[in-house]
Amino acid sequence: FVPASTCRCRRSLLYILLCGRLLLDFPNETMSSEEQSNVEASTEPTFEVGDRIIVDGLQKASHLNGHHGVIALPMNDKGRYAVDFDLVKKNMNRVMVKPSNLRREVLASTSDRHRAGCVNGILEEADGRPLSYTLDAVRYLTASQILCDPEVRDPINIDDLRGQGQRGSVKLNHFIALAWTCWSDARPYRTPDNMSVYQMLVSMLEDQPKIQGWETPDSIPKDMKDAMDAAYDITATKGWHVRVHGDFWIVGADPDDGGSYLISDINRNLVYKVFGVRNGLYQML
């Protein structure tokens, strides 16, 4: 899922987070406390309603640091902004935050390398193949290493299940749902070396050049390179532990690329535009 801009939809899977620090050189003479306060106030960032931000440096609510959100109201008389978060529970969605604990969200690169091609509500084939391979690898690892499913002894068995109609679809959905639960920590399930699903995926991808006989980096197919690059990237596969889940309203589709517009019941102020791998969500309705 990616938040949809009001002017142009962003296709990148996640964001590249950038921050900078402004260093101020003061003269040697001592400043009064009032002068120091005026300097600090003048250097605090200012925001407008609707600005996308990232929270950082909270002490009492440190679990919210790193979360993305949007400025919901102008600064109040206590010098705090109301922030609506993207990925927190409904009863904790709006929090009052000082401007010193906010930084602007910076969009991912607009280069083709960081954007997936999309048409008719789905990923273009070249971008869909690495994602499909990765998702099937996740299903295979969950079925074989966590559930020890006798029907899944080889990655190709995932395609076999896909051809079994509703029964196979139910099993595949179960595999991927359990994978998200065990993405960062597989306990209480037993896995090789107590690895999480993500760790098993990285290990599987790293073994592929040797298994397939790809002796040099140039001999590795582009689809596999893309899948391996994404596995190490926190803005891609490595960041899959951050997800939006729950109830959604499906409200329409983009007339240009067919992406489906969704609104989460957790935060109805935020619109997501999503794309399928094989089918567009809105088109299936």
Side-chain angles (χ1 to χ4, degrees), residues 47-69:
F47 301 93
E48 302 291 336
V49 173
D51 285 352
R52 297 282 308 170
I53 52 83
I54 304 165
V55 174
D56 192 21
L58 295 178
Q59 300 297 321
K60 294 183 179 179
S62 58
H63 61 286
L64 295 176
N65 289 333
H67 276 277
H68 295 247

PDB file of all heavy atoms in Angstrom, residues 47-69:
ATOM      1  N   PHE A  47       4.663  23.752   9.995  1.00  0.00           N
ATOM      2  CA  PHE A  47       3.942  22.850   9.111  1.00  0.00           C
ATOM      3  C   PHE A  47       2.552  23.399   8.824  1.00  0.00           C
ATOM      4  O   PHE A  47       2.001  24.188   9.598  1.00  0.00           O
ATOM      5  CB  PHE A  47       3.823  21.460   9.751  1.00  0.00           C
ATOM      6  CG  PHE A  47       5.142  20.811  10.066  1.00  0.00           C
ATOM      7  CD1 PHE A  47       5.720  20.964  11.320  1.00  0.00           C
ATOM      8  CD2 PHE A  47       5.811  20.070   9.113  1.00  0.00           C
ATOM      9  CE1 PHE A  47       6.933  20.373  11.626  1.00  0.00           C
ATOM     10  CE2 PHE A  47       7.029  19.470   9.400  1.00  0.00           C
ATOM     11  CZ  PHE A  47       7.592  19.625  10.663  1.00  0.00           C
ATOM     12  N   GLU A  48       1.999  22.950   7.704  1.00  0.00           N
ATOM     13  CA  GLU A  48       0.639  23.289   7.322  1.00  0.00           C
ATOM     14  C   GLU A  48      -0.236  22.042   7.427  1.00  0.00           C
ATOM     15  O   GLU A  48       0.264  20.908   7.354  1.00  0.00           O
ATOM     16  CB  GLU A  48       0.597  23.817   5.883  1.00  0.00           C
ATOM     17  CG  GLU A  48       1.468  25.052   5.650  1.00  0.00           C
ATOM     18  CD  GLU A  48       0.944  26.279   6.361  1.00  0.00           C
ATOM     19  OE1 GLU A  48      -0.283  26.317   6.631  1.00  0.00           O
ATOM     20  OE2 GLU A  48       1.741  27.195   6.642  1.00  0.00           O
ATOM     21  N   VAL A  49      -1.522  22.245   7.594  1.00  0.00           N
ATOM     22  CA  VAL A  49      -2.458  21.117   7.609  1.00  0.00           C
ATOM     23  C   VAL A  49      -2.339  20.350   6.290  1.00  0.00           C
ATOM     24  O   VAL A  49      -2.350  20.947   5.213  1.00  0.00           O
ATOM     25  CB  VAL A  49      -3.905  21.605   7.821  1.00  0.00           C
ATOM     26  CG1 VAL A  49      -4.892  20.449   7.658  1.00  0.00           C
ATOM     27  CG2 VAL A  49      -4.043  22.242   9.194  1.00  0.00           C
ATOM     28  N   GLY A  50      -2.196  19.046   6.387  1.00  0.00           N
ATOM     29  CA  GLY A  50      -2.038  18.210   5.200  1.00  0.00           C
ATOM     30  C   GLY A  50      -0.610  17.814   4.914  1.00  0.00           C
ATOM     31  O   GLY A  50      -0.381  16.916   4.096  1.00  0.00           O
ATOM     32  N   ASP A  51       0.368  18.461   5.570  1.00  0.00           N
ATOM     33  CA  ASP A  51       1.773  18.096   5.350  1.00  0.00           C
ATOM     34  C   ASP A  51       2.035  16.678   5.846  1.00  0.00           C
ATOM     35  O   ASP A  51       1.575  16.276   6.926  1.00  0.00           O
ATOM     36  CB  ASP A  51       2.708  19.058   6.086  1.00  0.00           C
ATOM     37  CG  ASP A  51       2.814  20.407   5.404  1.00  0.00           C
ATOM     38  OD1 ASP A  51       2.287  20.537   4.285  1.00  0.00           O
ATOM     39  OD2 ASP A  51       3.425  21.321   5.995  1.00  0.00           O
ATOM     40  N   ARG A  52       2.795  15.922   5.057  1.00  0.00           N
ATOM     41  CA  ARG A  52       3.205  14.568   5.445  1.00  0.00           C
ATOM     42  C   ARG A  52       4.449  14.671   6.318  1.00  0.00           C
ATOM     43  O   ARG A  52       5.392  15.389   6.000  1.00  0.00           O
ATOM     44  CB  ARG A  52       3.505  13.732   4.206  1.00  0.00           C
ATOM     45  CG  ARG A  52       2.336  13.502   3.282  1.00  0.00           C
ATOM     46  CD  ARG A  52       1.403  12.440   3.778  1.00  0.00           C
ATOM     47  NE  ARG A  52       2.111  11.220   4.095  1.00  0.00           N
ATOM     48  CZ  ARG A  52       1.555  10.183   4.738  1.00  0.00           C
ATOM     49  NH1 ARG A  52       0.310  10.254   5.136  1.00  0.00           N
ATOM     50  NH2 ARG A  52       2.261   9.102   4.982  1.00  0.00           N
ATOM     51  N   ILE A  53       4.449  13.946   7.463  1.00  0.00           N
ATOM     52  CA  ILE A  53       5.559  14.055   8.403  1.00  0.00           C
ATOM     53  C   ILE A  53       5.959  12.668   8.929  1.00  0.00           C
ATOM     54  O   ILE A  53       5.255  11.673   8.742  1.00  0.00           O
ATOM     55  CB  ILE A  53       5.205  14.966   9.598  1.00  0.00           C
ATOM     56  CG1 ILE A  53       3.894  14.530  10.259  1.00  0.00           C
ATOM     57  CG2 ILE A  53       5.111  16.418   9.152  1.00  0.00           C
ATOM     58  CD1 ILE A  53       3.992  13.416  11.244  1.00  0.00           C
ATOM     59  N   ILE A  54       7.115  12.645   9.611  1.00  0.00           N
ATOM     60  CA  ILE A  54       7.588  11.469  10.341  1.00  0.00           C
ATOM     61  C   ILE A  54       7.894  11.926  11.758  1.00  0.00           C
ATOM     62  O   ILE A  54       8.486  12.983  11.964  1.00  0.00           O
ATOM     63  CB  ILE A  54       8.857  10.872   9.711  1.00  0.00           C
ATOM     64  CG1 ILE A  54       8.603  10.532   8.243  1.00  0.00           C
ATOM     65  CG2 ILE A  54       9.314   9.627  10.460  1.00  0.00           C
ATOM     66  CD1 ILE A  54       9.855  10.274   7.449  1.00  0.00           C
ATOM     67  N   VAL A  55       7.476  11.148  12.741  1.00  0.00           N
ATOM     68  CA  VAL A  55       7.704  11.499  14.140  1.00  0.00           C
ATOM     69  C   VAL A  55       9.028  10.920  14.607  1.00  0.00           C
ATOM     70  O   VAL A  55       9.382   9.781  14.279  1.00  0.00           O
ATOM     71  CB  VAL A  55       6.549  10.984  15.022  1.00  0.00           C
ATOM     72  CG1 VAL A  55       6.847  11.202  16.494  1.00  0.00           C
ATOM     73  CG2 VAL A  55       5.258  11.688  14.647  1.00  0.00           C
ATOM     74  N   ASP A  56       9.763  11.715  15.388  1.00  0.00           N
ATOM     75  CA  ASP A  56      11.077  11.265  15.849  1.00  0.00           C
ATOM     76  C   ASP A  56      11.394  11.938  17.183  1.00  0.00           C
ATOM     77  O   ASP A  56      10.966  13.063  17.444  1.00  0.00           O
ATOM     78  CB  ASP A  56      12.149  11.625  14.811  1.00  0.00           C
ATOM     79  CG  ASP A  56      13.472  10.940  15.078  1.00  0.00           C
ATOM     80  OD1 ASP A  56      13.475   9.916  15.775  1.00  0.00           O
ATOM     81  OD2 ASP A  56      14.494  11.439  14.593  1.00  0.00           O
ATOM     82  N   GLY A  57      12.125  11.238  18.040  1.00  0.00           N
ATOM     83  CA  GLY A  57      12.616  11.827  19.279  1.00  0.00           C
ATOM     84  C   GLY A  57      11.643  11.854  20.432  1.00  0.00           C
ATOM     85  O   GLY A  57      11.908  12.500  21.452  1.00  0.00           O
ATOM     86  N   LEU A  58      10.496  11.161  20.325  1.00  0.00           N
ATOM     87  CA  LEU A  58       9.564  11.114  21.451  1.00  0.00           C
ATOM     88  C   LEU A  58      10.159  10.279  22.583  1.00  0.00           C
ATOM     89  O   LEU A  58      10.776   9.240  22.341  1.00  0.00           O
ATOM     90  CB  LEU A  58       8.222  10.519  21.019  1.00  0.00           C
ATOM     91  CG  LEU A  58       7.397  11.314  19.990  1.00  0.00           C
ATOM     92  CD1 LEU A  58       6.123  10.555  19.648  1.00  0.00           C
ATOM     93  CD2 LEU A  58       7.075  12.701  20.501  1.00  0.00           C
ATOM     94  N   GLN A  59       9.959  10.707  23.811  1.00  0.00           N
ATOM     95  CA  GLN A  59      10.489   9.986  24.961  1.00  0.00           C
ATOM     96  C   GLN A  59       9.432   9.094  25.608  1.00  0.00           C
ATOM     97  O   GLN A  59       9.627   7.894  25.754  1.00  0.00           O
ATOM     98  CB  GLN A  59      11.033  10.988  25.990  1.00  0.00           C
ATOM     99  CG  GLN A  59      12.153  11.863  25.470  1.00  0.00           C
ATOM    100  CD  GLN A  59      13.399  11.079  25.090  1.00  0.00           C
ATOM    101  OE1 GLN A  59      13.776  10.129  25.780  1.00  0.00           O
ATOM    102  NE2 GLN A  59      14.028  11.465  23.988  1.00  0.00           N
ATOM    103  N   LYS A  60       8.287   9.671  25.991  1.00  0.00           N
ATOM    104  CA  LYS A  60       7.257   8.897  26.674  1.00  0.00           C
ATOM    105  C   LYS A  60       6.515   7.959  25.729  1.00  0.00           C
ATOM    106  O   LYS A  60       5.983   6.936  26.163  1.00  0.00           O
ATOM    107  CB  LYS A  60       6.262   9.838  27.355  1.00  0.00           C
ATOM    108  CG  LYS A  60       6.874  10.646  28.501  1.00  0.00           C
ATOM    109  CD  LYS A  60       5.822  11.509  29.174  1.00  0.00           C
ATOM    110  CE  LYS A  60       6.421  12.300  30.330  1.00  0.00           C
ATOM    111  NZ  LYS A  60       5.423  13.175  30.993  1.00  0.00           N
ATOM    112  N   ALA A  61       6.457   8.314  24.468  1.00  0.00           N
ATOM    113  CA  ALA A  61       5.770   7.464  23.475  1.00  0.00           C
ATOM    114  C   ALA A  61       6.761   7.055  22.393  1.00  0.00           C
ATOM    115  O   ALA A  61       6.522   7.247  21.206  1.00  0.00           O
ATOM    116  CB  ALA A  61       4.575   8.196  22.887  1.00  0.00           C
ATOM    117  N   SER A  62       7.885   6.510  22.812  1.00  0.00           N
ATOM    118  CA  SER A  62       8.972   6.182  21.879  1.00  0.00           C
ATOM    119  C   SER A  62       8.552   5.149  20.842  1.00  0.00           C
ATOM    120  O   SER A  62       9.164   5.064  19.775  1.00  0.00           O
ATOM    121  CB  SER A  62      10.193   5.679  22.646  1.00  0.00           C
ATOM    122  OG  SER A  62       9.868   4.544  23.426  1.00  0.00           O
ATOM    123  N   HIS A  63       7.499   4.348  21.138  1.00  0.00           N
ATOM    124  CA  HIS A  63       7.038   3.336  20.180  1.00  0.00           C
ATOM    125  C   HIS A  63       6.466   3.973  18.916  1.00  0.00           C
ATOM    126  O   HIS A  63       6.316   3.303  17.891  1.00  0.00           O
ATOM    127  CB  HIS A  63       5.986   2.427  20.821  1.00  0.00           C
ATOM    128  CG  HIS A  63       4.758   3.162  21.283  1.00  0.00           C
ATOM    129  ND1 HIS A  63       4.747   3.954  22.407  1.00  0.00           N
ATOM    130  CD2 HIS A  63       3.510   3.228  20.754  1.00  0.00           C
ATOM    131  CE1 HIS A  63       3.538   4.475  22.565  1.00  0.00           C
ATOM    132  NE2 HIS A  63       2.774   4.058  21.568  1.00  0.00           N
ATOM    133  N   LEU A  64       6.166   5.280  18.977  1.00  0.00           N
ATOM    134  CA  LEU A  64       5.631   5.975  17.805  1.00  0.00           C
ATOM    135  C   LEU A  64       6.724   6.589  16.940  1.00  0.00           C
ATOM    136  O   LEU A  64       6.444   7.057  15.838  1.00  0.00           O
ATOM    137  CB  LEU A  64       4.656   7.077  18.244  1.00  0.00           C
ATOM    138  CG  LEU A  64       3.367   6.607  18.932  1.00  0.00           C
ATOM    139  CD1 LEU A  64       2.558   7.808  19.393  1.00  0.00           C
ATOM    140  CD2 LEU A  64       2.540   5.729  17.997  1.00  0.00           C
ATOM    141  N   ASN A  65       7.954   6.609  17.433  1.00  0.00           N
ATOM    142  CA  ASN A  65       9.048   7.174  16.640  1.00  0.00           C
ATOM    143  C   ASN A  65       9.210   6.406  15.333  1.00  0.00           C
ATOM    144  O   ASN A  65       9.181   5.174  15.307  1.00  0.00           O
ATOM    145  CB  ASN A  65      10.356   7.124  17.433  1.00  0.00           C
ATOM    146  CG  ASN A  65      10.377   8.113  18.576  1.00  0.00           C
ATOM    147  OD1 ASN A  65       9.712   9.140  18.519  1.00  0.00           O
ATOM    148  ND2 ASN A  65      11.138   7.816  19.616  1.00  0.00           N
ATOM    149  N   GLY A  66       9.372   7.138  14.257  1.00  0.00           N
ATOM    150  CA  GLY A  66       9.516   6.525  12.942  1.00  0.00           C
ATOM    151  C   GLY A  66       8.218   6.351  12.191  1.00  0.00           C
ATOM    152  O   GLY A  66       8.221   6.022  11.003  1.00  0.00           O
ATOM    153  N   HIS A  67       7.080   6.582  12.860  1.00  0.00           N
ATOM    154  CA  HIS A  67       5.788   6.434  12.182  1.00  0.00           C
ATOM    155  C   HIS A  67       5.507   7.635  11.279  1.00  0.00           C
ATOM    156  O   HIS A  67       5.849   8.768  11.595  1.00  0.00           O
ATOM    157  CB  HIS A  67       4.659   6.287  13.196  1.00  0.00           C
ATOM    158  CG  HIS A  67       4.473   4.890  13.685  1.00  0.00           C
ATOM    159  ND1 HIS A  67       3.747   3.956  12.992  1.00  0.00           N
ATOM    160  CD2 HIS A  67       4.938   4.253  14.782  1.00  0.00           C
ATOM    161  CE1 HIS A  67       3.751   2.809  13.640  1.00  0.00           C
ATOM    162  NE2 HIS A  67       4.480   2.966  14.732  1.00  0.00           N
ATOM    163  N   HIS A  68       4.837   7.338  10.174  1.00  0.00           N
ATOM    164  CA  HIS A  68       4.432   8.370   9.223  1.00  0.00           C
ATOM    165  C   HIS A  68       3.037   8.867   9.580  1.00  0.00           C
ATOM    166  O   HIS A  68       2.225   8.138  10.138  1.00  0.00           O
ATOM    167  CB  HIS A  68       4.398   7.801   7.803  1.00  0.00           C
ATOM    168  CG  HIS A  68       5.731   7.382   7.292  1.00  0.00           C
ATOM    169  ND1 HIS A  68       6.352   8.021   6.246  1.00  0.00           N
ATOM    170  CD2 HIS A  68       6.574   6.398   7.689  1.00  0.00           C
ATOM    171  CE1 HIS A  68       7.522   7.439   6.012  1.00  0.00           C
ATOM    172  NE2 HIS A  68       7.665   6.451   6.875  1.00  0.00           N
ATOM    173  N   GLY A  69       2.775  10.125   9.243  1.00  0.00           N
ATOM    174  CA  GLY A  69       1.456  10.672   9.494  1.00  0.00           C
ATOM    175  C   GLY A  69       1.230  11.956   8.733  1.00  0.00           C
ATOM    176  O   GLY A  69       2.014  12.324   7.852  1.00  0.00           O
TER     177      GLY A  69
END
